[in-house]
Amino acid sequence: MNKSLQKLNLLSITSGLILICYLCIGFVPNLSAVDKIAPQWISMTILNGISILYLAYNIKYFSFSISSTLRSPISIVYIVFILWASLSYFYAINPTEVIVNITRQANVLLMYLVMGIFLFIFENKIKFICWVITIILGIEVYAVIIEAQSMINLTGTISSGELKGVTANRNITAFSIAIKIPFLLYLIQTISKKLYKIMLTILIFLALLCLSMIQSRASFVGIIFIFIGFVVMNLSLYINDKRYLHLLRNLFFLVPMLLAIFINQVYLSSRGADAISRAATISLSTNDGSVNQRLRYYEHVLTHLSSNPIFGVGLGNWKLKSIEYDANDILGYVVPYHAHSDFIQLGAELGIIGFTLYLSIFLLAIYFSYNIIRNSKLSEKEKIFIFLILLSLGVYSVDANLNFPIARPQVLVVWSCVLALITVYNQKHKEILVKPKSSKVKLNKIFLILGILIIVPSAYVTNLVYKSLKGQMFLLQDFNSNQYNLPINQLENIVPSIPNITVTTIPIKSIKARYYFKAKKYRKAIELIDEGIKANPYLFYSEILKSQIYQELGKLDSAKYYAKKAFYGLPNNDLHSSTYLNLISKTRDKQALDEAFETLILNNKVNNWKNYLIIASSLYLPGDDSLIEKADIARKTFQGDQEFEALYRQIYLGEDKIIEARNFSNKGLEYFNNLDYENAAVEFENAIKINPLDYAYYENAATSFYMTGNLNKALDYIDKVINDLNPLNGKCEYIKALIFIRMGDPIGACHLLDISTKSGFSQSDSLIEKYCSQGL
């Protein structure tokens, strides 16, 4: 008997150590990978493998805890969800991405199951988990505070967007902190030692202070959810037994929150971390760029889901399909990698069935928590714990509806732990902890065998992904800087075959092709590009690279064909539009230019307008009404841009007339410089007759007539500039002011001189001082 107890104690210790390792996955660094999630997924896979082998070795001690966890409705639904997601391999756009993502999700499933199995044998599982999470939270908070202090010491300000702590970005850090706070609240609620209560309250204050510096608006919503839930819980406890102590316990959250806000406003707001101002921007208004972007993503997902209700695009494939929906808004190759809602994104990837299965995991957890609190015979402390971890699940749900925690191991470990705890207490509430029958023992063995069979390929795939993300560091550095630092003889081994796209969805083989293109190995480059197109048919980087190769080979028709595909596929990409327009110009394809116009100006990009007008002016005869109308729209849209004014003149008049007018103007300048103002005025008038669109000719004519003393004619010409052609540089107002002064109206000149000065024309300053110092 003593040996059995000793064995159980040893199992508890070992299981506890493994659980601690799971919860510490977020501390695994990037280890030279482009994204730290790669080594974190490997860590999870290794822990799953160790756990499965450990369970297999000690199966007789874990037999009914395995059976009970597997028979939980949450586990069953979760397993079915993984199976359904696995089937998406057969209809996915990129099946390799399904392999990458299904191994991750299968690992999360195994982690949840292992946690549930281990937690069954713990006598003090609640305190154990709460204290471990509290210590981890303390480390995370410390990392954020040190980073913020370093920023203040270095620059005097806090850059909230760069405040990451131990994670990859601020949203992950914020929710990693927020999701752990309910575990601290449980300890404060239940422990009796005042010193511990004070220390934990201080930690909550520091956690909230960190959130105020990070300024993730979604995490603010999560904190409000926790606060409301905590108050409702204590109010319910008060109603139940009329003890005012329950109401006073709200202060353990309220006081730290108010103090964190006070410190933020007094000390941190002036240093770039104003939480109140940031929170005030929380809204559903489409005037908010972030909200508008998310709503656009949601609309795309729902549009796709309505058209493909049963089968989606395949697990992990929305980042590819989303490009097609968001093509008109994508800048460069920065794609909408996530839909910023795990729930609807899974709907787009796995259809209504996949969406319903994933949502059911959450709904079952909520229902079982309610059932435990309402109907079980558990102690009050246990029920309080269940309610508080339900708040953690709520925080995760907020994150899952606004971000993408399903892709981040650091937050997933806490989510899995919460699900495992709810599963354990629900199964105990159902009183099913009985000696399993032979069929259940068989089920346990099947689970362990399948677990090992899942772990082996998972370890292989996650290791490949990690190696790839290390290699991608070099490939993407070269790509983003348009360099070729990687020797071509290292290309084949720089990354493995899985995954076949980068973390930015660019096909890896297409990135390799650019090196072969540079080395003039065109056939090899085209072979790689063709394979790259299959990996991501929506980004069109492969097509633009192929166009460049054919252009280098002198095959302009083929080059234009692929440039056209790239342009219409991703029209907001400057490389795509400029390449296609250049080829239209080279092939003098007026019809293609006309067809491209509406797409080119969709986002009113300056360069697209300019490139279109430059090329169109070389293809159309001067005076074309349609082209003049477009040029007029452009110069009115981009007022003050003299390049558009010049293009308008060229399209309206033609190059020959512009040159002829310029020749008259040059003669006028010669006369003017020789003090022959009358002949200068004549030449400037001749220039105006030929080119009535250049304001400089009118200004020069007005100045010449001013010098001859013909003030009325000078006034006519300068009024033409001010009223119709004003370049907004202040010179025309200055000239008119000179005319007014000479006419004996210095007061009328003062207003013009004021406009001129404000427009940046400094020569007006002396006249203001002389004639207008009192009036202005």
Side-chain angles (χ1 to χ4, degrees), residues 179 199 289 298 305 364 680 687 743:
I179 200 172
M199 292 173 61
Y298 298 163
L305 186 56
L364 286 171
M743 285 179 166

Side-chain angles (χ1 to χ4, degrees), residues 81 315 341-351 354-355 358 406:
F81 167 75
L315 185 66
S341 171
D342 287 343
F343 294 101
I344 63 172
Q345 179 170 319
L346 285 169
E349 293 179 344
L350 304 175
F355 167 79
Y358 188 68
I406 197 171

Side-chain angles (χ1 to χ4, degrees), residues 293 296-297 300 318-338 504-506 536 538-541 566-577 602-603 605 608:
Q293 183 188 62
R296 191 174 76 243
Y297 291 169
H300 294 162
W318 176 249
K319 56 182 169 282
L320 305 180
K321 190 65 175 179
S322 67
I323 300 171
E324 183 179 49
Y325 284 95
D326 207 46
N328 290 334
D329 293 291
I330 290 174
L331 293 173
Y333 295 112
V334 182
V335 306
Y337 202 82
H338 297 280
T504 55
T505 77
I506 303 172
N536 186 351
Y538 301 107
L539 193 65
F540 296 100
Y541 170 71
F567 168 68
Y568 284 104
L570 216 59
N572 207 27
N573 185 294
D574 290 339
L575 176 62
H576 293 189
S577 57
L602 193 62
N603 290 305
K605 297 181 77 170
N608 282 0

Side-chain angles (χ1 to χ4, degrees), residues 179-206:
I179 200 172
K180 295 179 176 73
I181 289 177
F183 292 89
L184 272 73
L185 290 174
Y186 171 79
L187 292 175
I188 292 174
Q189 190 89 359
T190 56
I191 60 175
S192 56
K193 292 186 178 181
K194 292 183 179 180
L195 179 60
Y196 286 170
K197 284 182 181 288
I198 293 171
M199 292 173 61
L200 291 167
T201 304
I202 291 172
L203 182 55
I204 287 180
F205 157 70
L206 292 174

